[in-house]
Amino acid sequence: MPVQIIVGAQWGDEGKGKIVDHLSENVDIVARYQGGANAGHTVVLPPKNGKPEKEFVLHLIPSGIFHKHVTCVIGNGVVLDPVALMTEIQQLKDAGIKITGRLRISHNAHLIMPYHKLLDAAREKGVEKIGTTGRGIGPAYNDKYMRTGIRVVDLLNREVLCKKLKRNIETSNEILSKLYHSQELDVDSIINEYQEFDRKFDEFITDTSEYLNNALKKKKVILAEGAQGALLDVDHGTYPYVTSSNPTSGGACTGLGIPPTSINSIVGIVKAYSTRVGNGPFPTELKNEIGDNLRKIGGEYGATTGRPRRCGWLDAVSLRYSVRVNGIQKVAITKLDVLDEFKEIKICTGFKVGGKKLNHYPTDTQTLDTVEPVYQTFKGWQAKTSDIRKYNKLPKEARLYVEAIGKMIETKIWVVSVGARRDQTLMVK
Ligand code: IMP
Ligand code: MG
């Protein structure tokens, strides 16, 4: 049963791109199952032919694209922004990466339309701001569940596309002008632009569920790449401060059209500390010099929006919850090197409310906003780890920190990452 799922175990930005790229060496297919161009998966390619190393930020195309033998799939659960996709394809082609014959897009994926972005922006001007990425994600999933969405398959039929687009643009214009007093969209120009996408994407569009199930029959190895993280899951995250899809492992089956019985392994990606972009509860947030240092050393600025990320200590309570809802079997700890200079490092081991220990993970934002984190303090290693290539060569204090995380979340630590490059990946024996 060769499907491995990669999930973000926190609020996204755990370094999934790097780990997926690392694992892609030994897989046949990498498939994205949810989210859209709100994601920013960073992959750093090693120096080649005298050219320096190069950093890529992928928003839609799976992070396996840098391995020639890998086929990349954008599943039905993704909301696809054709404009973002075209830009990304062009950037990859410019860098000499072959896309033709290596990318398959589900005919059932829903399309992000210009009105989704305008609606997203307009809503975010209100008081109950989520702090979205502004990529139209929420409104696109809203249309999907309202059953008024436009799917990739609709690009293939001019008449259907025109009819649906006209209806949706007219409705959106009503909402935009009456409710938000914002600009309206021109029906004809959008229709023309989107018909053009059909010509450009035709070669990629297919029934990806059928493709993946056939690949399973042929014993191909598939990696399902999640975007965002478990605590941003619309069902299991810190609702309403979440994204509008299911980044948790369950989303991989519905988002790709593969059966639960095909899944054999679930890997959680955990950053060695916590970050969050956008609004919502964040119990271990550090609004002080330590938080600022984590941001500075870790380069914690959004890969999609450039926004500074909120930073704090690792939260083992949220992680235990994440391990449970995802069924995480092993963990990759990323960005351990960011903690190199700290004298003391803390992990949140419990929550208290009004001085009393909390025995469950609260998902209502009111409680989560008021919990007091209980911390265990670890001695920092205060040594450079980014040049170390063997786990047992890490300073003793660093290993103690990693092993403590494993114990707290009762999960095997499988990999420790000490930098963005491929070679900065240590296997834990
Ligand atoms: P949306 O997904 O753009 O609707 O944003 C909803 C929430 O999810 C906001 O708090 C965003 O900052 C957050 N979010 C969306 N995508 C990502 C991501 O890839 N990494 C981290 N946070 C994200
Ligand atoms: Mg990211």
Side-chain angles (χ1 to χ4, degrees):
M1 301 298 175
V3 181
Q4 185 166 49
I5 305 176
I6 305 296
V7 286
Q10 294 151 307
W11 282 285
D13 307 313
E14 299 91 352
K16 294 176 288 291
K18 170 187 162 155
I19 302 296
V20 170
D21 171 68
H22 172 78
L23 290 170
S24 293
E25 211 172 318
N26 299 314
V27 309
D28 301 299
I29 298 167
V30 180
R32 267 279 302 271
Y33 59 87
Q34 45 69 236
N38 50 350
H41 292 183
T42 307
V43 176
V44 176
L45 300 182
K48 205 179 158 188
N49 304 334
K51 285 192 192 145
E53 65 178 36
K54 194 164 165 47
E55 182 185 287
F56 274 93
V57 180
L58 298 165
H59 302 287
L60 280 163
I61 294 183
S63 308
I65 197 74
F66 303 105
H67 293 264
K68 278 192 200 121
H69 67 279
V70 170
T71 302
C72 289
V73 169
I74 296 180
N76 56 278
V78 170
V79 281
L80 189 80
D81 179 349
V83 184
L85 182 67
M86 284 226 312
T87 312
E88 204 160 307
I89 290 178
Q90 198 52 52
Q91 277 167 355
L92 289 167
K93 281 186 175 165
D94 290 347
I97 289 154
K98 190 174 159 263
I99 306 289
T100 304
R102 298 187 53 218
L103 177 65
R104 293 197 159 67
I105 301 172
S106 168
H107 59 180
N108 283 342
H110 281 247
L111 291 171
I112 301 241
M113 294 289 172
Y115 45 84
H116 292 137
K117 292 180 202 167
L118 286 185
L119 287 167
D120 195 352
R123 272 182 206 172
E124 287 286 291
K125 285 195 192 122
V127 271
E128 278 171 34
K129 232 172 100 110
I130 304 282
T132 71
T133 59
R135 296 298 186 268
I137 305 296
Y141 279 112
N142 188 38
D143 276 0
K144 171 172 173 172
Y145 291 101
M146 280 287 279
R147 292 151 296 176
T148 53
I150 299 179
R151 297 184 299 167
V152 168
V153 65
D154 297 324
L155 288 175
L156 307 176
N157 186 326
R158 202 188 169 94
E159 216 177 298
V160 175
L161 179 70
C162 285
K163 210 169 123 204
K164 291 188 179 176
L165 260 176
K166 203 160 180 291
R167 176 200 64 196
N168 285 7
I169 295 169
E170 280 166 4
T171 315
S172 305
N173 277 343
E174 284 280 300
I175 300 172
L176 286 167
S177 62
K178 301 243 165 74
L179 205 60
Y180 298 116
H181 311 289
S182 72
Q183 87 189 85
E184 294 188 27
L185 287 160
D186 178 51
V187 180
D188 292 333
S189 69
I190 298 178
I191 288 178
N192 289 339
E193 189 190 5
Y194 275 68
Q195 271 172 346
E196 177 76 4
F197 290 134
D198 164 34
R199 214 173 41 77
K200 294 191 167 126
F201 296 154
D202 201 28
E203 60 170 311
F204 306 121
I205 301 172
T206 189
D207 181 340
T208 48
S209 165
E210 187 187 24
Y211 171 75
L212 291 170
N213 281 284
N214 280 339
L216 284 172
K217 271 192 207 142
K218 291 182 203 145
K219 305 261 180 283
K220 299 276 187 206
V221 181
I222 300 172
L223 205 72
E225 178 179 10
Q228 291 84 44
L231 302 172
L232 287 173
D233 186 285
V234 68
D235 283 278
H236 303 289
T238 52
Y239 192 89
Y241 298 99
V242 292
T243 193
S244 302
S245 65
N246 289 116
T248 46
S249 55
C253 292
T254 50
L256 294 174
I258 52 171
T261 46
S262 66
I263 310 299
N264 77 327
S265 142
I266 300 165
V267 180
I269 315 300
V270 175
K271 184 148 58 184
Y273 49 96
S274 305
T275 62
R276 170 163 206 163
V277 230
N279 300 340
F282 183 1
T284 63
E285 181 171 18
L286 296 164
K287 291 182 183 165
N288 57 20
E289 205 188 317
I290 303 174
D292 292 345
N293 281 338
L294 284 171
R295 185 176 312 107
K296 212 178 333 155
I297 303 168
E300 295 295 352
Y301 294 87
T304 298
T305 58
R307 289 181 290 177
R309 295 178 184 142
R310 300 157 66 193
C311 297
W313 296 124
L314 189 80
D315 173 357
V317 184
S318 298
L319 269 186
R320 278 196 291 270
Y321 171 77
S322 185
V323 165
R324 190 183 86 212
V325 294
N326 283 299
I328 291 171
Q329 295 154 318
K330 56 182 186 177
V331 154
I333 296 188
T334 60
K335 298 185 96 163
L336 186 74
D337 56 300
V338 173
L339 300 177
D340 283 355
E341 290 169 26
F342 289 81
K343 222 169 149 181
E344 270 189 347
I345 301 161
K346 294 185 183 185
I347 299 181
C348 166
T349 56
F351 288 157
K352 276 185 174 173
V353 175
K356 270 203 197 128
K357 193 171 174 270
L358 207 66
N359 288 319
H360 66 281
Y361 186 76
T363 54
D364 64 296
T365 40
Q366 292 74 14
T367 310
L368 258 183
D369 263 337
T370 54
V371 296
E372 312 149 45
V374 178
Y375 287 111
Q376 183 175 340
T377 303
F378 293 81
K379 192 168 170 276
W381 42 95
Q382 298 193 280
K384 189 174 173 198
T385 57
S386 53
D387 292 334
I388 294 173
R389 293 292 171 270
K390 286 222 168 353
Y391 176 74
N392 59 19
K393 291 272 159 48
L394 282 176
K396 189 178 92 222
E397 292 83 0
R399 278 180 283 127
L400 284 175
Y401 181 72
V402 167
E403 280 148 32
I405 299 170
K407 279 202 195 97
M408 285 175 198
I409 62 173
E410 296 176 26
T411 308
K412 181 184 155 56
I413 310 292
W414 155 72
V415 153
V416 171
S417 169
V418 291
R421 290 202 317 265
R422 284 175 179 169
D423 62 326
Q424 293 171 311
T425 313
L426 322 181
M427 303 304 294
V428 181
K429 293 274 155 19

